[in-house]
Amino acid sequence: MATAASSDGCPTDVDSYYSTHSTFSDTTSTICMDVDWVVGQCMSVDPDNGRDPVRVDCADTTQPNRQRATEILHGVANVDQCRSGMGYAYDQREFTVCVDDVA
């Protein structure tokens, strides 16, 4: 997570951002955010990006589209480096979150 004066100040590969404007000081502040992946834990990730990913229990079969983070690679932004061949590459900051689908 990082802060910036506007969304233009966020890295281009952030997952989302939240901006606020203060009427008292007439300033804008933006929080640049990534999904909080934790190796060994799962997130429910909407493949159509209709909702934000949420942390879920890996064993909860009522949760759709569960993905388990298997490793986080630093210095590389290429999902082909993941054992599963699946993940999320962050090009600007050069890291990759490798995942497995949970059945």
Side-chain angles (χ1 to χ4, degrees):
M1 184 170 73
T3 59
S6 72
S7 61
D8 293 339
C10 291
T12 56
D13 59 1
V14 295
D15 292 318
S16 64
Y17 60 87
Y18 178 77
S19 296
T20 62
H21 182 79
S22 171
T23 56
F24 297 109
S25 63
D26 198 32
T27 59
T28 300
S29 180
T30 300
I31 300 170
C32 312
M33 301 176 288
D34 287 320
V35 172
D36 185 23
W37 291 102
V38 176
V39 173
Q41 294 187 9
C42 290
M43 301 291 282
S44 174
V45 181
D46 181 0
D48 298 322
N49 297 317
R51 64 174 174 80
D52 289 335
V54 294
R55 185 169 318 286
V56 297
D57 184 324
C58 293
D60 186 352
T61 59
T62 66
Q63 295 293 330
N65 309 306
R66 288 168 290 145
Q67 293 185 324
R68 177 181 291 118
T70 56
E71 62 184 321
I72 298 173
L73 306 174
H74 298 278
V76 61
N78 184 339
V79 298
D80 291 340
Q81 300 300 311
C82 298
R83 283 181 230 131
S84 66
M86 296 176 16
Y88 302 93
Y90 294 81
D91 296 332
Q92 183 178 359
R93 293 170 290 158
E94 293 189 349
F95 72 94
T96 301
V97 178
C98 300
V99 300
D100 282 331
D101 284 331
V102 178

